[in-house]
Amino acid sequence: MLIEDRLKELRDKINAKVPAGITISQVEFEGPELVIYTDEPKKFADQEDLIKVLARDLRKRIVVRPTILEDPETAVTKINAVVPENAGISDIFFDPDTGEVLIEAEKPGVVIGKNGATLREITKNTCWTPKVVRTPPIESSTVKQVRQYLRSIKDERKAFLRTIGRRIHRDVIAKDHWVRVTTLGCCREVGRAAFLLTTPESKILIDCGEKPGSATSTPYLYVPEISPLSSVDAVVLTHAHLDHCALVPLLFKYGYDGPVYSTPPTRDLAALLQLDYLDVVKKDAGRQPYTSNEVKEYLKHSITLNYGSVTDIAPDIKLTFHNAGHILGSAVAHFHVGDGLYNIAFTGDFNYQKTRLFSPAVSSFPRLEAVFMESTYGGSRDLQPPREEAENKLYEVVNRTIEREGKVIIPAFAVGRSQEVMLALEEGMRKEKIPKVKVYLDGMIKEATAIHTTYPEYLNTDLRNQIFRDGLNPFLAECFVQVDSSELREKVIGGEPCVIVTTSGMLSGGPVMEYLYALAPDERNTLIFVGYQADGTFGRRLQKGWREIPMGNRETLVVKLDIETVDGFSGHSDRKQLMNFVHHLQPRPEKIFTIHGDEGSTIDLASSIYKRYRIETRSPMNLETYRMV
Amino acid sequence: MLIEDRLKELRDKINAKVPAGITISQVEFEGPELVIYTDEPKKFADQEDLIKVLARDLRKRIVVRPTILEDPETAVTKINAVVPENAGISDIFFDPDTGEVLIEAEKPGVVIGKNGATLREITKNTCWTPKVVRTPPIESSTVKQVRQYLRSIKDERKAFLRTIGRRIHRDVIAKDHWVRVTTLGCCREVGRAAFLLTTPESKILIDCGEKPGSATSTPYLYVPEISPLSSVDAVVLTHAHLDHCALVPLLFKYGYDGPVYSTPPTRDLAALLQLDYLDVVKKDAGRQPYTSNEVKEYLKHSITLNYGSVTDIAPDIKLTFHNAGHILGSAVAHFHVGDGLYNIAFTGDFNYQKTRLFSPAVSSFPRLEAVFMESTYGGSRDLQPPREEAENKLYEVVNRTIEREGKVIIPAFAVGRSQEVMLALEEGMRKEKIPKVKVYLDGMIKEATAIHTTYPEYLNTDLRNQIFRDGLNPFLAECFVQVDSSELREKVIGGEPCVIVTTSGMLSGGPVMEYLYALAPDERNTLIFVGYQADGTFGRRLQKGWREIPMGNRETLVVKLDIETVDGFSGHSDRKQLMNFVHHLQPRPEKIFTIHGDEGSTIDLASSIYKRYRIETRSPMNLETYRMV
Ligand SMILES: [Zn+2]
Ligand SMILES: [Zn+2]
Ligand SMILES: [Zn+2]
Ligand SMILES: [Zn+2]
Ligand SMILES: [Zn+2]
């Protein structure tokens, strides 16, 4: 059927269901959604169940928009006129994708007004649908810039969403029924995640990352399965770590022109980390695989979905993200193929234990036949101490160092581990397990933390409650001090005993090096590794016992500071949690593929799962294709 | 390096090695060969080891051709003038691909002359290199037509071979090293054989067959792995059965324009069976997937290789055919990838026991890491009686039928099984195990038999010796009578007790039906099944016990004739022979993939091989890709 006929048919169906007095001016696919344009969005909204009924009957995600939206500049003036000044509006963000206006305010209640009276006034005056959020406690320049950028290209983006919408809702023409997965990277290795899910109708690329420590190893993007890139329907990002998202912008350079689906925090963190990746490559005098222009292309083509939202991303494929517990916004990507034909989940990286920031990964799905699961700690001896034990060891080392008037350096990745360590330190001080010293944050950590506080709904309930109900935002604790100048860095180095949390996590550059050079000769200080140190990194060498650092000019720096490793802050499930995850999978899948781990770990995990649960397992190699059904 | 520079370099190397007095006029890649053009082909030929040395040093297949070849018409006159008339020349065939002239004669010795004097005379007079073969005892019109056709397009073909030659010898540019196999059909099923062997540099398609009994099931030629078809470097045919070659002409319709490698008998049998396939489809009122024009395209692009000849077919792939013992010209295709990177064999269909026609399949290879092996009789209970037992049962049934004055109908495939049965019957009569009755051959059997006698070097040594040394060509035994008219068919039906060997093998049409309708009502007659009757065929129904044949007009024919099944004439290895083959594989491969069998058989065989030999096995599904290295 022609897409125009299809839209007309949908419009007729909708007209038949809406009560008299509501006029439908237009019906259009925009991205994965069916948008109903009406002159009476408020009347529509009053019919509380109407949208739900339409969504169920038409089997589409429905969005209702006013036919005419007030011009944003005028709307701002009108909103400011209606909302009392003491609301403390800090930002107003118009999202033309959704027809919503996001109002950030110190006091959301004042913006809402008595029984929502102020909100209704805003709708009446501007036609935009207002959403109110508390002003994030720490402002993220990334989030601000991403929003500004998307606003600046709103017309182009609308056209893009319509094109994609029509493509998603095209007719299914193939007669064959099969589902295949091709491994383009990340098999029997950690890094360059890239998996291609294909049906006779559609092609979906899941992740497209770099291989850390190997500038030349990209996923196998040149094989015919994925050529030309314009034949790919959608890219789906599980999370923002570079081994999963670094090369997404490259796809646009090579001809991809479709959507990239992720959660909202993943979109913002990915852009932040991609830009940082370009910086690091440049500093290493490497060839940048793409420029910030392609990062913009990525943002232009990004479509965000929240956990649990079932979304058409191809004529025969629905995607749902579920919490993966690994980092902010990390998701298990669940695909429902065909009309009940097949269900397959890609875990991305996941943590099956509760952490200070996140709930454990979701392990229940409406349906499930196959799982591609990470195996970073899949080896039978890859056990991590419990989080509490790890924290106690951290406290112990910090106490010992501060007592002897030393300073603690904790190298950490900006996203994930840093925030976990911050929360542990904050609670340690609040509960008087460690002395109340300053915790200096250097590198990208502050910005990453700010993004965390922009998306409180992606943190676990305890932390969210602590922040909003108890008003105790641990990220805002006064112990934390951002270091944003060389002068301050020097002051820190010459100052009181303290803790310094800084990037890079594996001592491969970044501000941590300055601290290390300055603090290494003093045996009172301590360097604490809280994360995995990859082979070949400077961090690994120190961990193995090197005690001399070549400084150029034939000088060497003798390392005298204490070096400690505290395991247990990992964002990954350890072996026991991986097995536990499989044990709790609902429903029990037919097949499990172990990926994202070294050869030994993936094979060991695959064979242990088979032995214990009698589920068919595979430890695939790169460049293989498996038939699911 | 540019191909012209490469050729110049080769020419310099050759010039450095040839003795003074031999001028090299040109060096050119033609198909897989490096052709050296010289004005003194005879001088070249006198240096016996020269070609061998060049082949070894340059690592190329070397062919030497005269710069100027006599025009074929003039050459014929000159040859006839030189060769004494009593040689009985029956055909002269010029092969411009090789610069050879094939002289068929009743008395080859007379053409050769004393110590080869006549041959030398021919070379001197015509510049063509003469090869002499005995006039085939039965003339094959297929072979004749194929040769005529190739002669008629010799200029076009020369251009094609040069293009392919340059393509084969292009520089290897990829830096990655991997070898993959994608299954496009014939997995967990019998039929539509099609496997894609790929490296970063090259794509080779092995077989491209139909699925018998399912007009719509073709190999998965639409998937991106093999798109566009013009990206395929070579098609390799294991043998001429339609489940392996029927859709090769279709490839040319869809844009393939490269070579198709096979043994010479496979080329001729394939063309014969493809044309017959088109006829059968037409009679079934089905849509012909291609026309005889595409069969011609196939022939135009065919390149024949004999067993044991190691041949470059892509910049990084060498192909060698080895006897597979299944039908005339059937081959195990062995691929050597890279410079010692990987070796993989596709068995095609094979027989690991000696038969009356063929030697057992080859099981030793210079190197071998992986095998894709057929599993038609791979189930643990798929045992066949020994050939002798099968023949005795055949004799017994024939004796019983002839004694009671009945006629025997043996439905059989034209290629393979028919000839085995013919030889068994001939020996049975010669050794007086059965009475000397006429054996009528109807359908394509005579033509297929003629092709067998054209290629005696593809028969086993015993049979070849019997034909040439002992002058006892069993195919020429007087018991065999070709039926080529309806009148004769009626005479046979109304005549003396006899044996009728005729197509089709599964009673799905063909002359066998006429015999059956006429002879079914008489209980003295016997129908003997010597081959597998597929589900859904009329043969299977009779085998299962049906005794009424609907004849249209509400009439039914009551079947009274005796129905017998004689197992053991199969051209496939049975379960025991399959295991035996694996046992004797030299060297022992790392991986075995079981294909070309129903799901149960392939899985059973794979798991039995693993259990007994601890070789990694897989029973792949269609549309999967396996990484070899
Ligand atoms: Zn990660
Ligand atoms: Zn990862
Ligand atoms: Zn675009
Ligand atoms: Zn066969
Ligand atoms: Zn076959």
Side-chain angles (χ1 to χ4, degrees), chain B residues 190-191 239 241 243-244 326 349 376 572 596:
Chain B
V190 173
H239 67 290
H241 274 154
D243 58 323
H244 298 258
H326 170 61
D349 295 351
T376 319
H572 296 271
H596 195 290

Side-chain angles (χ1 to χ4, degrees), chain A residues 581-601:
Chain A
F581 175 76
V582 173
H583 183 80
H584 288 104
L585 274 175
Q586 275 297 337
R588 182 188 145 101
E590 293 163 3
K591 291 178 190 166
I592 293 180
F593 297 81
T594 56
I595 52 153
H596 196 289
D598 63 35
E599 181 156 340
S601 305

Side-chain angles (χ1 to χ4, degrees), chain A residues 176 178 180 182-183 200 203 220 222-227 591 618 621-629, chain B residues 176 178 180 182-183 200 203 220 222-227 591 618 621-629:
Chain A
D176 281 349
W178 47 256
R180 307 197 290 161
T182 302
T183 56
K203 282 190 192 176
Y220 293 93
Y222 62 82
V223 294
E225 285 91 323
I226 192 169
S227 299
K591 291 178 190 166
R618 285 283 164 80
M621 285 188 278
N622 287 329
L623 284 179
E624 296 199 311
T625 296
Y626 289 88
R627 177 87 176 263
M628 300 292 128
V629 71
Chain B
D176 281 348
W178 48 254
R180 307 197 291 161
T182 302
T183 56
K203 282 189 193 177
Y220 293 92
Y222 63 82
V223 294
E225 285 91 324
I226 192 168
S227 299
K591 289 177 191 167
R618 284 283 166 80
M621 285 187 279
N622 287 329
L623 285 179
E624 296 200 310
T625 296
Y626 288 88
R627 176 87 177 263
M628 301 292 129
V629 71

Side-chain angles (χ1 to χ4, degrees), chain B residues 539-551:
Chain B
R540 178 62 158 265
R541 275 182 233 148
L542 284 179
Q543 208 178 23
K544 279 199 295 195
W546 278 39
R547 287 299 177 263
E548 291 196 347
I549 310 175
M551 297 295 287

Side-chain angles (χ1 to χ4, degrees), chain A residues 200-426:
Chain A
E201 202 62 54
S202 318
K203 282 190 192 176
I204 312 293
L205 177 64
I206 295 115
D207 287 342
C208 191
E210 56 132 19
K211 180 150 180 175
S214 166
T216 54
S217 286
T218 61
Y220 293 93
L221 296 175
Y222 62 82
V223 294
E225 285 91 323
I226 192 169
S227 299
L229 281 173
S230 57
S231 67
V232 174
D233 286 88
V235 174
V236 173
L237 270 186
T238 61
H239 67 290
H241 274 153
L242 288 171
D243 57 322
H244 298 258
C245 83
L247 298 177
V248 167
L250 190 67
L251 299 172
F252 292 96
K253 190 168 159 186
Y254 289 164
Y256 181 60
D257 196 36
V260 181
Y261 294 93
S262 76
T263 61
T266 294
R267 178 194 61 193
D268 298 345
L269 287 170
L272 174 68
L273 293 175
Q274 284 159 359
L275 292 170
D276 186 59
Y277 167 74
L278 291 179
D279 267 1
V280 171
V281 175
K282 200 174 176 184
K283 273 182 199 142
D284 288 357
R287 212 178 55 83
Q288 293 182 326
Y290 53 86
T291 67
S292 61
N293 281 333
E294 277 81 35
V295 178
K296 279 186 183 164
E297 278 301 305
Y298 154 50
L299 287 172
K300 190 190 293 175
H301 293 80
S302 66
I303 296 178
T304 57
L305 308 175
N306 288 314
Y307 293 150
S309 137
V310 182
T311 305
D312 289 302
I313 60 168
D316 57 346
I317 299 182
K318 285 181 201 297
L319 163 67
T320 315
F321 284 131
H322 299 276
N323 173 45
H326 171 63
I327 61 166
L328 187 75
S330 65
V332 175
H334 177 278
F335 298 90
H336 175 84
V337 182
D339 228 0
L341 179 65
Y342 208 74
N343 295 268
I344 178 167
F346 290 80
T347 65
D349 295 352
F350 74 97
N351 199 343
Y352 201 52
Q353 79 173 326
K354 185 168 182 282
T355 63
R356 286 188 174 273
L357 284 114
F358 307 114
S359 305
V362 165
S363 55
S364 297
F365 305 89
R367 290 188 46 184
L368 188 67
E369 275 91 33
V371 180
F372 277 70
M373 73 182 276
E374 69 127 317
S375 323
T376 319
Y377 294 104
S380 50
R381 295 201 229 154
D382 293 343
L383 299 172
Q384 294 270 322
R387 192 53 73 105
E388 205 185 317
E389 200 177 295
E391 295 188 350
N392 285 337
K393 176 147 188 214
L394 176 70
Y395 294 158
E396 187 204 305
V397 178
V398 169
N399 277 326
R400 200 196 313 148
T401 309
I402 305 295
E403 258 165 45
R404 66 182 179 227
E405 301 274 298
K407 297 188 178 70
V408 174
I409 311 175
I410 304 179
F413 289 110
V415 176
R417 213 138 346 183
S418 296
Q419 288 75 32
E420 289 284 344
V421 169
M422 283 170 69
L423 295 190
L425 292 170
E426 188 275 336

